[in-house]
Amino acid sequence: MIERLFKDQFLNGFIIGFFSIGLEFLVLKGIDFIFNQLTSIDHLFSNDRISLIVLAINIILFRFMIVKWGRIQSGKGLFVSIITAVLVYFLLNRYFKQI
């Protein structure tokens, strides 16, 4: 069943990459918010630290997809989504730091 839903295709890896990036970012921001409410400490994670953690998790997911599960095309799509997210982050971070 799962094999039919998630075929080894570039587009599937690309979509999985962007969904995982967004989901991981929301989960880490939620943990940061809950920690802030419970302890009154401003931030457990800065935005830069959250971005690095999300990048590390997706690189591990990329490795599992290519090596362990043997999904080469999906891994390529995941890699492109990671690179795209990193470039967007750098461009937006550079733009908003200048303001």
Side-chain angles (χ1 to χ4, degrees), residues 8 63-75:
D8 188 21
R63 185 214 177 266
F64 269 93
M65 197 170 279
I66 294 285
V67 176
K68 183 107 173 158
W69 300 324
R71 297 181 175 266
I72 304 298
Q73 294 300 320
S74 296

Side-chain angles (χ1 to χ4, degrees), residues 11-73:
L11 184 62
N12 286 344
F14 193 75
I15 292 169
I16 289 170
F18 275 111
F19 278 132
S20 69
I21 289 169
L23 182 65
E24 291 160 8
F25 187 79
L26 288 175
V27 166
L28 289 173
K29 276 298 213 185
I31 290 171
D32 188 36
F33 177 75
I34 291 170
F35 189 78
N36 184 8
Q37 296 297 318
L38 293 176
T39 61
S40 298
I41 296 176
D42 284 342
H43 292 289
L44 179 64
F45 302 120
S46 65
N47 284 338
D48 294 335
R49 187 174 292 171
I50 288 176
S51 299
L52 283 175
I53 293 170
V54 168
L55 177 66
I57 291 171
N58 279 309
I59 288 174
I60 293 169
L61 178 64
F62 170 72
R63 185 214 177 266
F64 269 93
M65 197 170 279
I66 294 285
V67 176
K68 183 107 173 158
W69 300 324
R71 297 181 175 266
I72 304 298
Q73 294 300 320

Side-chain angles (χ1 to χ4, degrees), residues 59-95:
I59 288 174
I60 293 169
L61 178 64
F62 170 72
R63 185 214 177 266
F64 269 93
M65 197 170 279
I66 294 285
V67 176
K68 183 107 173 158
W69 300 324
R71 297 181 175 266
I72 304 298
Q73 294 300 320
S74 296
K76 289 178 185 178
L78 178 66
F79 181 72
V80 169
S81 68
I82 291 171
I83 295 299
T84 304
V86 168
L87 289 175
V88 166
Y89 172 76
F90 281 137
L91 291 174
L92 289 177
N93 194 20
R94 181 178 178 203
Y95 175 73

